[in-house]
């Protein structure tokens, strides 16, 4: 799926860069272009991508400090600059535009939904978001921000591919220390997903096409991606259980949104040397995904890759009603209610001006 990436905010910029690097290292050519957008000048300086600084008149390059309402405002004011930067980058070859953002912060959280809306207005192309959920031990503000951002993004974008920051963190490791590892894991999964419709070697009937990805993501608003790989035997006949076991692992331990299996559509891509991919294994694995997720239809295909390993890439779409997403939304609602009650208990600082004769200046 030939895509143009827009990394919004700090996490979004780093992840868009990791994705573009993975795509170019693997010579896939699925990432056509990538830019970074931020209100914090210092964060853009660290990126190798072309960049757009937004909100200069409002925050003077200093960022929005985790205030996602301000993130929304600055993006609304400067969306035209971002659209201008996409001129000539989004071309007839572009099959999708992918916004990348951490949903718990300020610029990405508040800005990505604005851009999704603007991009849908201007381009006749699917607009997807790759959104990062804050880890459980990140503060209440992150949960509140992510809840609001996810709600709006789900409405404005064609689909939101969710990554839980707790998904690939080794136990005991802090979120910050684990970022690099997490970003690599995301880049590999999403990078392979974007590339899987681009297969050039072996153009057999079973090779997956980009349209399968697009059709899978049409089934709902929230999606997740899972991945696992294992060493393969040279002959397909010896790899029946390898295909089924990597598929199970992709869904259960290799997914970007752990424990979300209640999906309305799924896609299973099996990557490896064509002669090593067991058809019987693929058939069994698809049946297993069908039963496990309750999907009526599991799309799929092969991704021919010159590798000694076999890998399964599983996209689950329509996860909005899954327990996992509902749990996150409950966490965000609780954090929002707590923040509001603290606000209500605080003495109203404007009281001192009540019944006062002094007029406001503005
Ligand atoms: P912004 O710059 O205002 O958009 O804010 P951030 O992008 O820093 O968003 C904060 C959220 O993103 C928090 O939930 C962080 O845990 C997460 N985050 C920040 N940097 C990274 C990163 O490099 N990788 C991942 N996976 N998450 C990150």
């Amino acid at each position: 799926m030939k895509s143009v990436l827009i990394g919004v905010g700090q996490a979004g910029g780093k992840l868009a860069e990791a994705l573009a690097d993975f795509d170019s290292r693997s010579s896939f050519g699925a990432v056509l272009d990538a830019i970074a957008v931020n209100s914090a000048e210092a964060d853009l300086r660290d990126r190798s991508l072309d960049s757009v600084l937004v909100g200069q008149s409002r925050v003077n390059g200093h960022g929005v400090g985790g205030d996602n309402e301000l993130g929304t405002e600055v993006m609304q004011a400067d969306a035209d600059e971002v659209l201008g930067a996409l001129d000539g980058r989004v071309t007839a070859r572009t099959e999708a535009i992918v916004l990348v953002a951490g949903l718990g912060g300020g610029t990405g959280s508040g800005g990505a939904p604005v851009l999704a809306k603007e991009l849908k207005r201007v381009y006749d192309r699917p607009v997807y978001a790759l959104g990062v959920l804050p880890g459980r031990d990140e503060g209440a503000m992150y949960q509140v921000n992510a809840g609001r951002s996810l709600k709006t993004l789900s409405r404005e974008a064609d689909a939101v591919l969710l990554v839980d920051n707790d998904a690939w963190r080794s136990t005991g490791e802090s979120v910050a220390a684990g970022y690099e590892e997490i970003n690599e894991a995301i880049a590999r999964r999403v990078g392979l997903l974007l590339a899987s419709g681009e297969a050039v070697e072996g153009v057999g009937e079973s090779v997956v096409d980009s349209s399968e990805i697009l059709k899978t993501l049409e089934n709902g608003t929230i999606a997740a991606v899972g991945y696992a790989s294992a060493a393969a035997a040279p002959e397909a006949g010896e790899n029946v259980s390898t295909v089924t076991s990597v598929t199970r692992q992709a869904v259960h331990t290799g997914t970007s949104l752990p424990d979300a299996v209640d999906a309305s559509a799924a896609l299973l891509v099996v990557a490896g040397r064509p002669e090593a991919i067991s058809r019987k294994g693929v058939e069994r694995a698809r049946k297993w995904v069908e039963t496990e997720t309750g999907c009526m239809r599991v799309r799929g295909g092969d991704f021919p890759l010159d590798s000694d390993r076999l890998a399964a890439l599983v996209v689950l779409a329509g996860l909005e009603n899954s327990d996992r997403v509902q749990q996150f939304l409950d966490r965000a609602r609780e954090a929002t209610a707590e923040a509001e009650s603290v606000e209500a208990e605080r003495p109203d600082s404007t009281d001192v001006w009540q019944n006062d004769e002094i007029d406001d200046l503005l």
Side-chain angles (χ1 to χ4, degrees), residues 65-326:
D67 177 347
N68 71 345
E69 287 181 11
L70 186 54
T72 297
E73 283 173 36
V74 302
M75 199 60 81
Q76 276 167 334
D78 288 347
D80 282 348
E81 292 195 32
V82 181
L83 294 176
L86 290 174
D87 249 357
R89 294 180 199 263
V90 176
T91 65
R93 294 173 70 214
T94 311
E95 291 173 285
I97 304 174
V98 183
L99 288 160
V100 190
L103 303 187
T107 307
S109 171
V114 174
L115 288 179
K117 185 174 186 167
E118 289 299 308
L119 291 165
K120 291 291 300 172
R121 190 174 59 77
V122 174
Y123 293 105
D124 173 20
R125 240 37 74 87
V127 174
Y128 300 125
L130 173 61
V132 180
L133 287 184
R136 266 165 226 275
D137 56 4
E138 292 190 57
M141 184 192 79
Y142 292 90
Q143 317 297 341
V144 173
N145 286 353
R148 292 180 75 182
S149 184
L150 180 58
K151 184 176 177 182
T152 322
L153 253 187
S154 305
R155 194 183 64 222
E156 302 300 340
D158 289 295
V160 184
L161 199 60
L162 271 188
V163 175
D164 187 334
N165 249 347
D166 286 330
W168 297 298
R169 191 148 58 102
S170 332
T171 13
E173 192 178 19
S174 76
V175 173
Y179 281 157
E180 217 158 298
E181 209 177 312
I182 295 170
N183 293 354
E184 267 311 302
I186 300 171
R188 171 172 296 275
R189 281 158 178 83
V190 180
L192 280 171
L193 176 64
L194 298 180
S196 61
E198 301 297 312
V200 280
E201 305 158 40
V203 277
E205 216 176 276
S206 49
V207 170
V208 71
D209 188 78
S210 300
S211 65
E212 300 288 303
I213 305 171
L214 297 166
K215 281 184 211 144
T216 304
L217 291 173
E218 271 169 19
N219 288 271
T221 51
I222 295 181
V225 59
Y227 169 86
S229 74
E235 299 292 324
E238 297 166 84
N239 290 327
V240 181
S241 64
T242 309
V243 175
T244 54
S245 69
V246 287
T247 304
R248 284 166 192 257
Q249 283 168 33
V251 172
H252 284 309
T253 52
T255 172
S256 65
L257 195 61
D259 304 326
V261 284
D262 201 1
S264 58
L267 173 81
L268 168 64
V269 176
V270 178
R273 283 206 188 97
E275 61 276 14
I277 300 179
S278 156
R279 304 269 44 105
K280 196 167 160 191
V282 171
E283 216 28 64
R284 285 189 188 166
R286 275 167 88 149
K287 285 247 159 59
W288 179 84
V289 174
E290 218 173 274
T291 316
E292 193 66 12
T293 61
C295 290
M296 298 302 279
R297 175 156 188 207
V298 178
R299 293 175 192 277
D302 301 347
F303 180 2
L305 264 185
D306 190 17
S307 162
D308 293 335
R309 300 178 74 80
L310 275 177
L313 190 70
V314 180
V315 177
L316 299 181
L319 291 172
E320 42 277 16
N321 294 319
S322 69
D323 289 349
R324 182 65 190 80
V325 171
Q326 291 306 321

